[in-house]
């Protein structure tokens, strides 16, 4: 296993979302990080409703009240802390989480080394 840095916590606006296109090799749909205060979570950039990207333009995401990420296509709303859909056409579904941790202001994840 190796550790990769996805971004700095400060790269994500508090209450906002950040696309991580430089890490598309980790998942073809790409990744999106969301932040609330000193906490951050990362999800696959794919809505469970129709498997479409959550962003309305590449790397541009809608958030609401600094607590939910909104799918730009059908307005499904997902809580930052667990990716659970609280409103919209896929209510009750969940975004696919990517396990990360905060290490010295960097959002990092473990990846398996191929070989």
């Amino acid at each position: 296993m190796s550790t990769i840095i996805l971004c700095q916590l400060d790269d994500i606006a508090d209450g906002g979302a950040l696309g991580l296109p430089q890490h598309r090799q980790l998942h073809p749909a790409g990744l999106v990080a969301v932040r609330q205060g000193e906490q951050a979570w990362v999800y696959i950039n794919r809505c469970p409703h129709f498997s479409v990207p959550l962003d309305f333009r590449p790397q541009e995401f809608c958030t609401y009240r600094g607590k939910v990420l909104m799918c730009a296509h059908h307005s499904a709303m997902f809580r930052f802390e667990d990716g659970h859909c609280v409103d919209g056409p896929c209510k009750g579904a969940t975004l696919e989480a990517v396990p990360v941790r905060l290490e010295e202001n960097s959002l990092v994840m473990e990846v398996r080394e191929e070989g």
Side-chain angles (χ1 to χ4, degrees), residues 48-64:
H49 182 215
F50 277 132
S51 292
V52 295
L54 297 160
D55 41 355
F56 60 95
R57 282 193 296 264
Q59 312 317 311
E60 292 186 35
F61 297 87
C62 297
T63 58
Y64 181 68

Side-chain angles (χ1 to χ4, degrees), residues 79-100:
R79 285 190 303 232
F80 280 5
E81 66 268 19
D82 58 10
H84 184 81
C85 183
V86 294
D87 195 18
C90 55
K91 190 172 183 177
T94 306
L95 295 175
E96 188 177 340
V98 175
V100 296

Side-chain angles (χ1 to χ4, degrees), residues 7-42:
C7 66
Q8 299 299 304
L9 182 65
D10 296 338
D11 293 339
I12 313 164
D14 193 0
L18 175 70
L20 301 168
Q22 68 275 30
H23 299 293
R24 194 169 294 278
Q25 80 278 9
L26 300 172
H27 195 282
L31 305 176
V32 57
V34 293
R35 174 182 173 195
Q36 195 170 35
E38 295 302 309
Q39 293 184 291
W41 302 268
V42 175

